[in-house]
């Protein structure tokens, strides 16, 4: 069965108290409205209509970055911010009218927990039971505040009645509307035509569609899911709760695939992250963006990986922060290492304590283990960079590149002033300032002679004075 | 209705196994005994009596630091550590006798979860129902171990009966004493006079007051609250539990005000912290003391702010630790930055990886992005401080100041030996040791010439030897 | 009563999706199979038989590292990986036959939550009730999937029946088999002889022993424990759940002993850690291996201690990472300090921001507060090491030692090239490269003179050019 999707994304979300429209606030690195879209994608929809309104430019530009947005997504604007959900869906009429024989799945942009599998099950029920509509519902012990699913004596769904309009008997109904629906398009079109604004609020409610369908002899039933799957996010507290549920789902998937996660409640792993088996993630680690980690790695306590590729057998020791970089097999990073801006560490590198690597390539088995800044450098294999080394890449106006060959030894507290070339097997004596190129095999040294003035410790003199 | 407060703070808390008296152990940066005091303050009390005993000097000196302590707080000592709660309240007789027509609220110093609103509701009930006393109670499915609220057939409270003295029938009572009370002072004074020590323990129990009041025809009723609000803290496990509940309350307030908190269970935010809307707090952040953060800021993973003011639109990247400082609008800090001791960062500064700033002022748009120590310095605007720069402020005896002008360029691995003045637009060549003042627009350089000895890499020689 | 132990540790644990056998995956730093062994040790067993199979070398080498393994542990191999639990226990026949009059406790290697006290209680029941066997069981509201404990009308245990073999009535039984047993050896030997493989799976089930014992007139009863104590670990999700339960047990013990733990859900403390009273552990701290911390210490936010001894009154400020080292009384460490490889900090040292200490001894009251690397050094008392100092211990081939006396002042950005000796009261001027020994009381300085070229800031020239 081919489907259309409609995602309601026009609301302001004033309880967020935010400059940003609610549906683009993120969970695990994804805008909230991405999640219902992802669920819809699993049905391979013909098109997905986003109904936008409040700050529509921001929502549209966010949605355009989604996968397959070019082929799948169409936008419709709901001009009246108080039009209601029925008015919102009506904006998609041009799309719906093109596909009267199809089915449409209507989701809320602020309900990120709905699963693709659940939509599939609902769709299956629609088809197998020859229904015209399926309402996703849940059973609540205390249904106060929710729209109730009213059935006739045969059990057919008659209408959705809101709390305030419900009779005493109806208020006892425990099956409540989750706000997601599947409808056959033709019946929906008929019903949308008959929707009228509420005399009280002036809003047009999509829920009224159910009563109209029933009155026309169409068959609507429900598909029940756990409560949390239908959870709407109306404020930042609910944002945190929904994010926690998504995170548990994400981590459970990794665990089942053979990843050990220590203190999983303290680990933050965004939605797109991939991790290979026998990798161990220690407490407080944070994995963000498009990051993938290979097999048998260690992600140490509190380490942060962001848009980074880590190959197999890499050890990332605690409190390392790596972004937008590539780490090849067998590297040992950290603790307290900072690697960023398209750096590329080749096999078996060691980058240690308080070392920053920026936009640099580090060759195989090269080591920089302490207190160094390596910026805009191309470094060869088997090179040793001493503690306190700085690659000065900025002269106050421009940035320059330095290239260092294989098997180079750079002594501690050296300063390499870019642009510079250090040949293979060159040796920089500790404390040197390198402001010329150094040919292969050469020793380079800049050093004032050490003078030793016996008995001249100035502190002893001061002591005498005081 | 004007009220008096009494807070029982004499106990030792031996299950804490601590050198420190229990009630000054902290939760979210506040001594435990602060919380009932804060709740009382919301009633604008005439006076609050603290009953002190065990290590009273420590408790008194802590309480004297509380807001309005000068005007509101009086101390009374309970000399007998085994006197009991009745004996404790009796110490406040001098205060109570001054205000016989008022009302007194009696709280426990080890019950930090009580809310001011709850006290207000209890007081309202006392007034509206013309009661002489209100006991704060809760309903427990399993009341074992608690004092039960015994009522007569009309529902009037007759007495509080302890577990060990309770009849079979009384043990089934589920309403239990929370240990907080409101009494009209005159009836309480009458009852206190008649209290007698327990023949078993020798302690005088305040709970016996209820029976006495009833026998004299006074009316006592209860005000029920959720269990957790009455929670007493008797050991460090309960300290952690109570702190968790306070933290949830604190974070929920921030969320409702428009602050996004990621993984809120991992974030530690002390009681006095203020955060502006659209600010995002990442996992594992820690905000302590008198810290306030403006709007639209980022507090990165694991960052620590302590007694620090952060203005709007500031980005604090992961693992930065800022204490006792001021950060102006638009600054970018970290990751791994350490800023402390009354440092002041002006607008749009950038302080980066492994940089420590101590007791220094950093001018607008000035940058120190890597591996530097800036101590006791006044630095102007638009100045650039290269990687590995150290401001040496200590000569082994004293500390000295350095001042750096605007638009200065300090090359990497430079050492500035205080006291020093670097004029506007001065330029320090990388690797220099600056031990004289540098006038404006001057170039300063100390550098031994680089000698390049072709083929003289000593490692190659060693290889030959070996 | 003297006991034998049998621990089943032959399984593969394929749901772990791991190269490593399941039972050596760790919880709180201990292999899973250590925990049932520790519980058994509390009974002071004659011998403990480990039944090994899958990757037996790895399991054996792990178990050999356990306490008392030399005296207590014997290994038996189960050759048939599909032999079943009955076949596994039969491997221990040689041991069992040596002790027919004793009792054997049979545990699962993948059930780390069993407590020694529980085993003792079960053993007590066996003795006091003159039983021949005790099955550890629990009561489950929903027993689906578990083996049920079937009793006759007198309440005697008749058999353990598996879900698939259970009658409708038996499926309603809520007491389920936990998989741990105590048996008298002689009856068990008789029963093991009669065990037959399942006609369906070919496996020999140890649970069938119960039916056989009953048929022979032996008496078996159960000992009920909470569900979680019997929890088996079959995948990495359950590993995390079991670890969380162990961690709560560990932290609760510390709290009861007088340790304050902030946000305990975020703190990771391995099984062997000791902490003294009035020490405060801040959020996100990680304590690993054989670490002990004294009284009245602070373990700051996110600090990591690994195989380290910390004496009393030590302050470890946030994000310090100390491994394999010893920290004496009154030291102040961090924030962002890294101390490792058998370093030894004597009383009242201060090691500060971005300082790494490797395999070095630091004398009393010596300070290194900023951005330094101290490797392979012996440093005396009251010495001051300036910011940016590096001890260069590596010449590209070998590592060398440096020794520094008492009361030495090492100026900032100095480089000490090992092997070197700096005498007492020597003074190294900032920025020096020390490549000779320095006698006591001497001043050592290597410094090119600072040239100041007025008006020669090259950036001003560039500006003119551009």
């Amino acid at each position: 069965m081919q489907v259309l999707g409609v995602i309601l994304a026009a609301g302001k979300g004033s309880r967020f108290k935010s400059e940003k429209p609610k549906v683009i606030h993120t969970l695990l690195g994804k805008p909230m409205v991405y999640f219902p879209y992802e669920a819809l994608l699993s049905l391979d929809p013909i098109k997905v209509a986003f109904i936008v309104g409040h700050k529509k430019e921001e929502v549209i530009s966010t949605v355009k970055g989604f996968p397959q947005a070019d082929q799948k997504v169409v936008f419709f604007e709901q001009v009246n911010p108080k039009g209601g959900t029925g008015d919102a869906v009506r904006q998609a009429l041009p799309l719906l009218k093109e596909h009267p024989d199809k089915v449409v799945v209507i989701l809320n942009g602020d309900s990120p927990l709905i699963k693709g599998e659940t939509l599939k099950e609902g769709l299956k029920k629609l088809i197998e039971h020859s229904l015209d509509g399926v309402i996703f519902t849940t059973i609540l012990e205390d249904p106060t505040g929710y729209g109730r699913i009213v059935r006739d004596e045969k059990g057919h769904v008659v209408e959705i009645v809101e709390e305030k309009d419900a009779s005493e008997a109806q208020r006892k109904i425990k099956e409540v509307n989750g706000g997601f629906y599947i409808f056959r398009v033709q019946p929906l079109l008929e019903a949308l035509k008959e929707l009228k604004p509420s005399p009280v609020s002036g809003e047009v409610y999509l829920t009224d569609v159910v009563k109209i369908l029933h009155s026309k002899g169409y068959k609507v039933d429900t598909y029940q899911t756990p409560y949390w799957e239908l959870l709407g996010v109306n404020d930042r507290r609910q944002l945190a709760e929904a994010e926690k549920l998504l995170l548990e789902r994400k981590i459970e998937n990794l665990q089942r695939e053979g990843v050990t996660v220590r203190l999983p409640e303290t680990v933050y792993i965004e939605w797109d992250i991939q991790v290979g088996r026998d990798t161990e993630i220690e407490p407080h680690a944070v994995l963000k963006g498009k990051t993938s980690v290979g097999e048998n790695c260690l992600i140490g306590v509190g380490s942060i990986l962001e848009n980074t590729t880590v190959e197999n057998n890499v050890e990332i020791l605690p409190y390392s922060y790596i972004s937008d970089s590539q780490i090849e097999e067998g590297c040992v990073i950290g603790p307290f290492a900072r690697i960023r801006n398209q750096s590329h560490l080749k096999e078996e590198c060691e980058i240690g304590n308080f070392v920053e690597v920026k936009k640099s390539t580090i060759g195989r088995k090269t080591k920089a283990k302490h207190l160094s800044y390596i910026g805009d450098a191309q470094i060869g294999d088997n090179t040793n960079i001493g503690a306190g080394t700085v690659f000065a890449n900025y002269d106050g106006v421009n940035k320059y590149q330095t290239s260092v060959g294989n098997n180079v030894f750079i002594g501690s507290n050296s300063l390499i002033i870019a642009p510079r070339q250090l040949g293979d097997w060159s040796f920089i004596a500790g404390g040197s300032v390198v402001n010329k190129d150094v040919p292969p095999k050469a020793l380079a040294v800049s050093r004032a002679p050490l003078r030793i003035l016996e008995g001249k410790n100035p502190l002893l003199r001061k002591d005498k004075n005081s």
Side-chain angles (χ1 to χ4, degrees), chain A residues 118 125 135-139 151 175 222-226 230:
Chain A
T118 303
K125 181 160 181 183
I135 310 166
F136 291 90
T137 62
T138 195
I139 304 294
R151 293 170 189 268
E175 185 178 20
T222 67
Y223 182 81
Q224 294 176 0
T225 77
L230 304 177

Side-chain angles (χ1 to χ4, degrees), chain A residues 6-7 16 34 52 55 62 89 124 128 131 186 191 200 202 210 215 223 241 291 310 330 351 389 420 437 457:
Chain A
V6 172
I7 296 178
F16 263 70
Y34 170 79
V52 296
K55 298 206 174 177
T62 299
V89 173
K124 203 172 132 195
E128 290 182 354
L131 301 170
Q186 184 54 48
V200 181
V210 174
S215 72
Y223 182 81
E241 285 163 5
T291 288
V310 174
I351 300 295
T389 297
R420 215 73 297 145
D437 290 347
N457 178 342

Side-chain angles (χ1 to χ4, degrees), chain A residues 436-447:
Chain A
K436 303 178 196 158
D437 290 347
V438 181
K441 299 190 184 177
L443 165 66
V445 55
S446 76
R447 193 180 278 174

